[in-house]
Amino acid sequence: MIPLTLAEVTAATGGRLEAGADPAALVRGVTVDSRLVAPGTLFVAIVGERVDGHDHAAEAIAAGAPAVLATRAVTVPSVRVDDPLAALAGLAALVRDRSPAAVVAVTGSAGKTTTKDLLADLLGEIGPTIWPPGSFNNEIGLPLTLLRTEPDTAFVVLEMGARGLGHIAALCAIARPSVGVVLNVGSAHVGEYADGRAGIAKAKGELAESATDTVILNADDPLVAAMATRVRRTAQVITFTQAADVGGQPPASPPAALVTEVGARQVRVDTAGRASFVLVAGGERHPVTLGLVGAHQVANALAAAAVALRLGLPAARVAATLTAARPRSRWRMEVSRTGAGVTIVNDAYNANPESMRAALHTLIGLRGSGRAFAVLGGMGELGTVADEAHDDLGRLTVDLGIDRLVAVGAAARRVHAAAETALATSGVSGGDGVGEDAVGGRSSTWVADADAAVAAVVAQARVGDVVLVKASRSYGLERVAQDLAAAFGPAQDSAAGRDSAAGRDSAAGSGSAAGSDSAAGSGSAAGSDRGTGQNSGVGRGVGTRVGAEIEGI
């Protein structure tokens, strides 16, 4: 990070030095995980649900922290503040002030993390780039990402999540993005908004209102396209599309008009689920073959391409870089080919009705001559539409021809019930979904937990089958995918390592042009996953404030 003295930290946070803290001591990194403290790292002590970071203040100082950012008295050098989150925001804003880097912010109901990862590849072709590990996209994760900014950083890529109105506006006040990207408006967390998807659009549009130079909008999503009217008069609007003609010219008068400038033509998806298309931009056409799984990745690639083109990367290099890109973040359409010949698709990081639909369509495309298994958990934060959404999901599995549905947990009972009813109506049910009597037809079964889901799949799956695992993050179904991979064994050709994010340096690692990894841990997307199985990056200093606490949605 850009070094700060403790005196500067104190001024930025409105705090005061205590217990002998040296105002001239330099801070070269910031973390909320006491295990990640290195010499020069400021440890922010946050009170978690079960563990209080202040209890690890002495350990942080022993590891080389110049001070602890604390909200109560500790016996070691500290900066005492009233609110640690406000203090983090103040520090991040100070670093933002001191950096000439272009800040690119991405929001949307789905695809934020993939788009962010593609931007890391693309902008890294132009200059030193910082991007968040995992999905660090809330009032903890976003400041930690900004605080990794180095003196030579050219670009900072940020995710912005929201669970209500004003959340993105608050993040924008810290980050002051020059480029804003809005991918889509779906049903994720619709239960948090009184006026449903209209409320989500209002919240996501706060980024369109805040970006100072350029706003990138999805012309294929009417709720996103309408955000062009909310853009600052001095900002340019660039849209991306898979449908409309490309190459229109903006009118002479502001505000910036809705002009499609980046498009995909001739979209195809191969038997491995990877999309290819022709990138159309600025009068040029270049072929792209994505290394990411799912047709829905085309929109994410177009959004990232629009940003890179705007910031100076030639279209030919954009296309080549997109083709070379591979998954960086775990549990997002992560494909593993096992020794038993069963393919596992771990998309368990999160789920909403739109992403479930996209994942199921991808599953069908991957099925080939085998059978498609869908291991599905609940979708969280859908409010009054939750029952209908889960019913629709169950019926969709039947409409698409999913061979085996395994619904996991109480929240997924309705998925199974709707699928079972649809199967009975269609007359294609072949048994209870657990024993050999189900092999000849299609089936749905409900199980109580992850262990039962693993057992159900292991009992039925055979060579050539493909298993999708997906649910909202809170249900923890990534363990199902991991246990299935262990049960079926590794592939002899190590295909799983090539197709998954697990083997790659994540945002904070050596693949970054960022240099210091002190905010989030070296090469691990969030430090260690000790004891949680999650990309938490929070650790012992915060206890159970893991995953969504630092990685909002």
mmCIF file of all heavy atoms in Angstrom, residues 327-362:
data_model
loop_
_atom_site.group_PDB
_atom_site.id
_atom_site.type_symbol
_atom_site.label_atom_id
_atom_site.label_comp_id
_atom_site.label_asym_id
_atom_site.label_seq_id
_atom_site.Cartn_x
_atom_site.Cartn_y
_atom_site.Cartn_z
ATOM 1 N N PRO A 327 -10.399 -19.204 -14.940
ATOM 2 C CA PRO A 327 -11.044 -18.841 -13.669
ATOM 3 C C PRO A 327 -10.024 -18.458 -12.600
ATOM 4 O O PRO A 327 -8.980 -19.101 -12.460
ATOM 5 C CB PRO A 327 -11.790 -20.124 -13.278
ATOM 6 C CG PRO A 327 -12.002 -20.850 -14.570
ATOM 7 C CD PRO A 327 -10.792 -20.550 -15.403
ATOM 8 N N ARG A 328 -10.334 -17.412 -11.857
ATOM 9 C CA ARG A 328 -9.499 -16.985 -10.738
ATOM 10 C C ARG A 328 -10.166 -17.243 -9.395
ATOM 11 O O ARG A 328 -9.476 -17.443 -8.404
ATOM 12 C CB ARG A 328 -9.182 -15.488 -10.845
ATOM 13 C CG ARG A 328 -8.229 -15.117 -11.956
ATOM 14 C CD ARG A 328 -7.888 -13.632 -11.894
ATOM 15 N NE ARG A 328 -6.900 -13.277 -12.906
ATOM 16 C CZ ARG A 328 -5.590 -13.395 -12.758
ATOM 17 N NH1 ARG A 328 -5.100 -13.867 -11.620
ATOM 18 N NH2 ARG A 328 -4.765 -13.044 -13.722
ATOM 19 N N SER A 329 -11.466 -17.182 -9.329
ATOM 20 C CA SER A 329 -12.176 -17.261 -8.051
ATOM 21 C C SER A 329 -12.891 -18.602 -7.934
ATOM 22 O O SER A 329 -13.495 -19.088 -8.896
ATOM 23 C CB SER A 329 -13.186 -16.112 -7.927
ATOM 24 O OG SER A 329 -12.527 -14.864 -7.969
ATOM 25 N N ARG A 330 -12.850 -19.173 -6.757
ATOM 26 C CA ARG A 330 -13.368 -20.514 -6.549
ATOM 27 C C ARG A 330 -14.886 -20.572 -6.492
ATOM 28 O O ARG A 330 -15.563 -19.601 -6.206
ATOM 29 C CB ARG A 330 -12.812 -21.075 -5.234
ATOM 30 C CG ARG A 330 -11.308 -21.183 -5.219
ATOM 31 C CD ARG A 330 -10.825 -21.923 -3.999
ATOM 32 N NE ARG A 330 -11.327 -21.323 -2.765
ATOM 33 C CZ ARG A 330 -11.207 -21.897 -1.583
ATOM 34 N NH1 ARG A 330 -10.637 -23.077 -1.482
ATOM 35 N NH2 ARG A 330 -11.662 -21.307 -0.504
ATOM 36 N N TRP A 331 -15.393 -21.791 -6.781
ATOM 37 C CA TRP A 331 -16.801 -22.138 -6.587
ATOM 38 C C TRP A 331 -17.739 -21.366 -7.501
ATOM 39 O O TRP A 331 -18.898 -21.151 -7.204
ATOM 40 C CB TRP A 331 -17.219 -21.953 -5.129
ATOM 41 C CG TRP A 331 -16.286 -22.589 -4.155
ATOM 42 C CD1 TRP A 331 -15.455 -23.651 -4.376
ATOM 43 C CD2 TRP A 331 -16.070 -22.208 -2.796
ATOM 44 N NE1 TRP A 331 -14.739 -23.952 -3.244
ATOM 45 C CE2 TRP A 331 -15.095 -23.076 -2.246
ATOM 46 C CE3 TRP A 331 -16.622 -21.212 -1.992
ATOM 47 C CZ2 TRP A 331 -14.660 -22.984 -0.944
ATOM 48 C CZ3 TRP A 331 -16.181 -21.116 -0.685
ATOM 49 C CH2 TRP A 331 -15.214 -21.993 -0.169
ATOM 50 N N ARG A 332 -17.219 -20.943 -8.645
ATOM 51 C CA ARG A 332 -18.039 -20.278 -9.651
ATOM 52 C C ARG A 332 -17.852 -21.024 -10.968
ATOM 53 O O ARG A 332 -16.869 -20.821 -11.667
ATOM 54 C CB ARG A 332 -17.646 -18.804 -9.784
ATOM 55 C CG ARG A 332 -17.911 -17.989 -8.514
ATOM 56 C CD ARG A 332 -17.160 -16.670 -8.581
ATOM 57 N NE ARG A 332 -17.476 -15.803 -7.470
ATOM 58 C CZ ARG A 332 -16.852 -15.845 -6.296
ATOM 59 N NH1 ARG A 332 -15.913 -16.745 -6.063
ATOM 60 N NH2 ARG A 332 -17.175 -14.994 -5.335
ATOM 61 N N MET A 333 -18.772 -21.910 -11.278
ATOM 62 C CA MET A 333 -18.687 -22.751 -12.475
ATOM 63 C C MET A 333 -17.310 -23.400 -12.568
ATOM 64 O O MET A 333 -16.664 -23.431 -13.611
ATOM 65 C CB MET A 333 -19.005 -21.949 -13.735
ATOM 66 C CG MET A 333 -20.420 -21.385 -13.775
ATOM 67 S SD MET A 333 -21.730 -22.624 -13.476
ATOM 68 C CE MET A 333 -21.618 -23.602 -14.949
ATOM 69 N N GLU A 334 -16.852 -23.923 -11.463
ATOM 70 C CA GLU A 334 -15.544 -24.569 -11.362
ATOM 71 C C GLU A 334 -15.690 -26.043 -11.748
ATOM 72 O O GLU A 334 -16.352 -26.813 -11.053
ATOM 73 C CB GLU A 334 -15.023 -24.416 -9.933
ATOM 74 C CG GLU A 334 -13.664 -25.030 -9.679
ATOM 75 C CD GLU A 334 -13.229 -24.809 -8.238
ATOM 76 O OE1 GLU A 334 -13.382 -23.660 -7.741
ATOM 77 O OE2 GLU A 334 -12.765 -25.761 -7.601
ATOM 78 N N VAL A 335 -15.096 -26.418 -12.859
ATOM 79 C CA VAL A 335 -15.283 -27.758 -13.412
ATOM 80 C C VAL A 335 -14.130 -28.669 -13.008
ATOM 81 O O VAL A 335 -12.960 -28.331 -13.204
ATOM 82 C CB VAL A 335 -15.392 -27.709 -14.944
ATOM 83 C CG1 VAL A 335 -15.551 -29.113 -15.524
ATOM 84 C CG2 VAL A 335 -16.573 -26.831 -15.356
ATOM 85 N N SER A 336 -14.467 -29.853 -12.469
ATOM 86 C CA SER A 336 -13.465 -30.853 -12.103
ATOM 87 C C SER A 336 -13.830 -32.170 -12.773
ATOM 88 O O SER A 336 -14.959 -32.644 -12.655
ATOM 89 C CB SER A 336 -13.426 -31.052 -10.580
ATOM 90 O OG SER A 336 -13.088 -29.862 -9.921
ATOM 91 N N ARG A 337 -12.890 -32.749 -13.446
ATOM 92 C CA ARG A 337 -13.084 -34.059 -14.058
ATOM 93 C C ARG A 337 -12.406 -35.097 -13.175
ATOM 94 O O ARG A 337 -11.205 -34.996 -12.921
ATOM 95 C CB ARG A 337 -12.534 -34.061 -15.482
ATOM 96 C CG ARG A 337 -13.349 -33.133 -16.381
ATOM 97 C CD ARG A 337 -12.760 -32.975 -17.773
ATOM 98 N NE ARG A 337 -13.649 -32.172 -18.603
ATOM 99 C CZ ARG A 337 -13.684 -30.843 -18.597
ATOM 100 N NH1 ARG A 337 -12.882 -30.168 -17.807
ATOM 101 N NH2 ARG A 337 -14.534 -30.188 -19.368
ATOM 102 N N THR A 338 -13.141 -36.058 -12.711
ATOM 103 C CA THR A 338 -12.651 -36.993 -11.702
ATOM 104 C C THR A 338 -12.141 -38.289 -12.318
ATOM 105 O O THR A 338 -12.401 -38.607 -13.482
ATOM 106 C CB THR A 338 -13.768 -37.331 -10.701
ATOM 107 O OG1 THR A 338 -14.773 -38.114 -11.375
ATOM 108 C CG2 THR A 338 -14.409 -36.068 -10.133
ATOM 109 N N GLY A 339 -11.419 -39.039 -11.493
ATOM 110 C CA GLY A 339 -10.889 -40.308 -11.937
ATOM 111 C C GLY A 339 -11.953 -41.323 -12.276
ATOM 112 O O GLY A 339 -11.725 -42.241 -13.080
ATOM 113 N N ALA A 340 -13.123 -41.182 -11.691
ATOM 114 C CA ALA A 340 -14.225 -42.112 -11.959
ATOM 115 C C ALA A 340 -14.993 -41.749 -13.223
ATOM 116 O O ALA A 340 -15.982 -42.403 -13.560
ATOM 117 C CB ALA A 340 -15.173 -42.144 -10.766
ATOM 118 N N GLY A 341 -14.564 -40.698 -13.903
ATOM 119 C CA GLY A 341 -15.246 -40.311 -15.127
ATOM 120 C C GLY A 341 -16.469 -39.455 -14.917
ATOM 121 O O GLY A 341 -17.233 -39.207 -15.854
ATOM 122 N N VAL A 342 -16.688 -38.995 -13.695
ATOM 123 C CA VAL A 342 -17.806 -38.105 -13.378
ATOM 124 C C VAL A 342 -17.283 -36.672 -13.325
ATOM 125 O O VAL A 342 -16.263 -36.398 -12.682
ATOM 126 C CB VAL A 342 -18.447 -38.478 -12.035
ATOM 127 C CG1 VAL A 342 -19.543 -37.484 -11.661
ATOM 128 C CG2 VAL A 342 -19.006 -39.896 -12.085
ATOM 129 N N THR A 343 -17.956 -35.765 -14.005
ATOM 130 C CA THR A 343 -17.566 -34.358 -14.006
ATOM 131 C C THR A 343 -18.380 -33.598 -12.961
ATOM 132 O O THR A 343 -19.600 -33.759 -12.882
ATOM 133 C CB THR A 343 -17.789 -33.732 -15.389
ATOM 134 O OG1 THR A 343 -16.950 -34.405 -16.339
ATOM 135 C CG2 THR A 343 -17.445 -32.251 -15.384
ATOM 136 N N ILE A 344 -17.706 -32.789 -12.166
ATOM 137 C CA ILE A 344 -18.367 -32.009 -11.113
ATOM 138 C C ILE A 344 -18.256 -30.529 -11.448
ATOM 139 O O ILE A 344 -17.163 -30.025 -11.752
ATOM 140 C CB ILE A 344 -17.732 -32.288 -9.740
ATOM 141 C CG1 ILE A 344 -17.862 -33.774 -9.397
ATOM 142 C CG2 ILE A 344 -18.382 -31.430 -8.656
ATOM 143 C CD1 ILE A 344 -17.018 -34.188 -8.227
ATOM 144 N N VAL A 345 -19.377 -29.830 -11.393
ATOM 145 C CA VAL A 345 -19.406 -28.388 -11.609
ATOM 146 C C VAL A 345 -19.777 -27.731 -10.283
ATOM 147 O O VAL A 345 -20.921 -27.813 -9.830
ATOM 148 C CB VAL A 345 -20.426 -28.004 -12.699
ATOM 149 C CG1 VAL A 345 -20.384 -26.500 -12.951
ATOM 150 C CG2 VAL A 345 -20.150 -28.773 -13.987
ATOM 151 N N ASN A 346 -18.794 -27.114 -9.660
ATOM 152 C CA ASN A 346 -18.996 -26.473 -8.365
ATOM 153 C C ASN A 346 -19.333 -25.007 -8.600
ATOM 154 O O ASN A 346 -18.462 -24.186 -8.879
ATOM 155 C CB ASN A 346 -17.730 -26.612 -7.512
ATOM 156 C CG ASN A 346 -17.909 -26.055 -6.105
ATOM 157 O OD1 ASN A 346 -18.903 -25.384 -5.812
ATOM 158 N ND2 ASN A 346 -16.941 -26.308 -5.235
ATOM 159 N N ASP A 347 -20.606 -24.679 -8.492
ATOM 160 C CA ASP A 347 -21.060 -23.292 -8.634
ATOM 161 C C ASP A 347 -21.773 -22.872 -7.352
ATOM 162 O O ASP A 347 -22.800 -22.196 -7.366
ATOM 163 C CB ASP A 347 -22.000 -23.169 -9.839
ATOM 164 C CG ASP A 347 -22.176 -21.728 -10.300
ATOM 165 O OD1 ASP A 347 -21.210 -20.943 -10.195
ATOM 166 O OD2 ASP A 347 -23.270 -21.375 -10.767
ATOM 167 N N ALA A 348 -21.197 -23.300 -6.225
ATOM 168 C CA ALA A 348 -21.875 -23.182 -4.933
ATOM 169 C C ALA A 348 -21.607 -21.869 -4.220
ATOM 170 O O ALA A 348 -22.013 -21.715 -3.069
ATOM 171 C CB ALA A 348 -21.472 -24.353 -4.031
ATOM 172 N N TYR A 349 -20.937 -20.929 -4.879
ATOM 173 C CA TYR A 349 -20.645 -19.690 -4.151
ATOM 174 C C TYR A 349 -21.918 -18.923 -3.830
ATOM 175 O O TYR A 349 -22.056 -18.370 -2.742
ATOM 176 C CB TYR A 349 -19.694 -18.783 -4.925
ATOM 177 C CG TYR A 349 -19.313 -17.586 -4.098
ATOM 178 C CD1 TYR A 349 -18.343 -17.687 -3.119
ATOM 179 C CD2 TYR A 349 -19.975 -16.371 -4.231
ATOM 180 C CE1 TYR A 349 -18.027 -16.614 -2.308
ATOM 181 C CE2 TYR A 349 -19.667 -15.297 -3.426
ATOM 182 C CZ TYR A 349 -18.690 -15.423 -2.468
ATOM 183 O OH TYR A 349 -18.396 -14.356 -1.657
ATOM 184 N N ASN A 350 -22.854 -18.885 -4.777
ATOM 185 C CA ASN A 350 -24.104 -18.178 -4.495
ATOM 186 C C ASN A 350 -25.155 -18.580 -5.515
ATOM 187 O O ASN A 350 -24.859 -19.253 -6.498
ATOM 188 C CB ASN A 350 -23.912 -16.661 -4.505
ATOM 189 C CG ASN A 350 -24.708 -16.000 -3.396
ATOM 190 O OD1 ASN A 350 -25.797 -16.446 -3.053
ATOM 191 N ND2 ASN A 350 -24.164 -14.942 -2.818
ATOM 192 N N ALA A 351 -26.388 -18.160 -5.272
ATOM 193 C CA ALA A 351 -27.469 -18.534 -6.181
ATOM 194 C C ALA A 351 -28.636 -17.564 -6.065
ATOM 195 O O ALA A 351 -28.946 -17.061 -4.987
ATOM 196 C CB ALA A 351 -27.962 -19.952 -5.870
ATOM 197 N N ASN A 352 -29.251 -17.307 -7.197
ATOM 198 C CA ASN A 352 -30.514 -16.588 -7.282
ATOM 199 C C ASN A 352 -31.242 -17.173 -8.486
ATOM 200 O O ASN A 352 -30.687 -18.006 -9.215
ATOM 201 C CB ASN A 352 -30.274 -15.075 -7.404
ATOM 202 C CG ASN A 352 -29.417 -14.720 -8.598
ATOM 203 O OD1 ASN A 352 -29.770 -14.987 -9.747
ATOM 204 N ND2 ASN A 352 -28.255 -14.115 -8.339
ATOM 205 N N PRO A 353 -32.487 -16.810 -8.723
ATOM 206 C CA PRO A 353 -33.209 -17.448 -9.816
ATOM 207 C C PRO A 353 -32.518 -17.350 -11.171
ATOM 208 O O PRO A 353 -32.508 -18.312 -11.948
ATOM 209 C CB PRO A 353 -34.560 -16.716 -9.815
ATOM 210 C CG PRO A 353 -34.764 -16.361 -8.369
ATOM 211 C CD PRO A 353 -33.394 -15.978 -7.876
ATOM 212 N N GLU A 354 -31.923 -16.196 -11.466
ATOM 213 C CA GLU A 354 -31.272 -16.033 -12.768
ATOM 214 C C GLU A 354 -30.011 -16.878 -12.874
ATOM 215 O O GLU A 354 -29.761 -17.518 -13.912
ATOM 216 C CB GLU A 354 -30.938 -14.551 -13.002
ATOM 217 C CG GLU A 354 -32.144 -13.665 -13.179
ATOM 218 C CD GLU A 354 -32.849 -13.311 -11.876
ATOM 219 O OE1 GLU A 354 -32.210 -13.408 -10.796
ATOM 220 O OE2 GLU A 354 -34.041 -12.949 -11.919
ATOM 221 N N SER A 355 -29.194 -16.879 -11.838
ATOM 222 C CA SER A 355 -27.955 -17.664 -11.918
ATOM 223 C C SER A 355 -28.241 -19.156 -11.872
ATOM 224 O O SER A 355 -27.526 -19.958 -12.484
ATOM 225 C CB SER A 355 -27.003 -17.269 -10.782
ATOM 226 O OG SER A 355 -27.502 -17.644 -9.516
ATOM 227 N N MET A 356 -29.302 -19.572 -11.182
ATOM 228 C CA MET A 356 -29.709 -20.977 -11.211
ATOM 229 C C MET A 356 -30.090 -21.386 -12.636
ATOM 230 O O MET A 356 -29.679 -22.457 -13.127
ATOM 231 C CB MET A 356 -30.903 -21.211 -10.274
ATOM 232 C CG MET A 356 -30.547 -21.368 -8.814
ATOM 233 S SD MET A 356 -29.796 -22.989 -8.473
ATOM 234 C CE MET A 356 -29.981 -23.050 -6.678
ATOM 235 N N ARG A 357 -30.851 -20.537 -13.292
ATOM 236 C CA ARG A 357 -31.279 -20.846 -14.658
ATOM 237 C C ARG A 357 -30.068 -20.977 -15.579
ATOM 238 O O ARG A 357 -29.970 -21.916 -16.381
ATOM 239 C CB ARG A 357 -32.224 -19.752 -15.154
ATOM 240 C CG ARG A 357 -32.873 -20.039 -16.499
ATOM 241 C CD ARG A 357 -33.847 -18.946 -16.896
ATOM 242 N NE ARG A 357 -34.893 -18.775 -15.884
ATOM 243 C CZ ARG A 357 -35.027 -17.705 -15.107
ATOM 244 N NH1 ARG A 357 -34.176 -16.694 -15.221
ATOM 245 N NH2 ARG A 357 -36.001 -17.627 -14.228
ATOM 246 N N ALA A 358 -29.133 -20.038 -15.468
ATOM 247 C CA ALA A 358 -27.941 -20.075 -16.316
ATOM 248 C C ALA A 358 -27.122 -21.334 -16.046
ATOM 249 O O ALA A 358 -26.625 -21.987 -16.980
ATOM 250 C CB ALA A 358 -27.092 -18.830 -16.072
ATOM 251 N N ALA A 359 -26.974 -21.693 -14.771
ATOM 252 C CA ALA A 359 -26.181 -22.875 -14.424
ATOM 253 C C ALA A 359 -26.833 -24.157 -14.936
ATOM 254 O O ALA A 359 -26.146 -25.064 -15.422
ATOM 255 C CB ALA A 359 -25.987 -22.940 -12.913
ATOM 256 N N LEU A 360 -28.141 -24.242 -14.840
ATOM 257 C CA LEU A 360 -28.845 -25.436 -15.316
ATOM 258 C C LEU A 360 -28.752 -25.577 -16.832
ATOM 259 O O LEU A 360 -28.577 -26.684 -17.362
ATOM 260 C CB LEU A 360 -30.303 -25.411 -14.860
ATOM 261 C CG LEU A 360 -30.522 -25.642 -13.365
ATOM 262 C CD1 LEU A 360 -31.972 -25.365 -12.988
ATOM 263 C CD2 LEU A 360 -30.133 -27.066 -12.953
ATOM 264 N N HIS A 361 -28.855 -24.470 -17.534
ATOM 265 C CA HIS A 361 -28.682 -24.522 -18.985
ATOM 266 C C HIS A 361 -27.269 -24.989 -19.339
ATOM 267 O O HIS A 361 -27.076 -25.784 -20.269
ATOM 268 C CB HIS A 361 -28.960 -23.151 -19.604
ATOM 269 C CG HIS A 361 -30.412 -22.867 -19.852
ATOM 270 N ND1 HIS A 361 -31.094 -23.364 -20.930
ATOM 271 C CD2 HIS A 361 -31.316 -22.132 -19.138
ATOM 272 C CE1 HIS A 361 -32.353 -22.958 -20.902
ATOM 273 N NE2 HIS A 361 -32.515 -22.204 -19.808
ATOM 274 N N THR A 362 -26.289 -24.504 -18.588
ATOM 275 C CA THR A 362 -24.913 -24.937 -18.824
ATOM 276 C C THR A 362 -24.757 -26.422 -18.547
ATOM 277 O O THR A 362 -24.084 -27.146 -19.290
ATOM 278 C CB THR A 362 -23.947 -24.127 -17.939
ATOM 279 O OG1 THR A 362 -24.066 -22.734 -18.259
ATOM 280 C CG2 THR A 362 -22.506 -24.567 -18.160
#
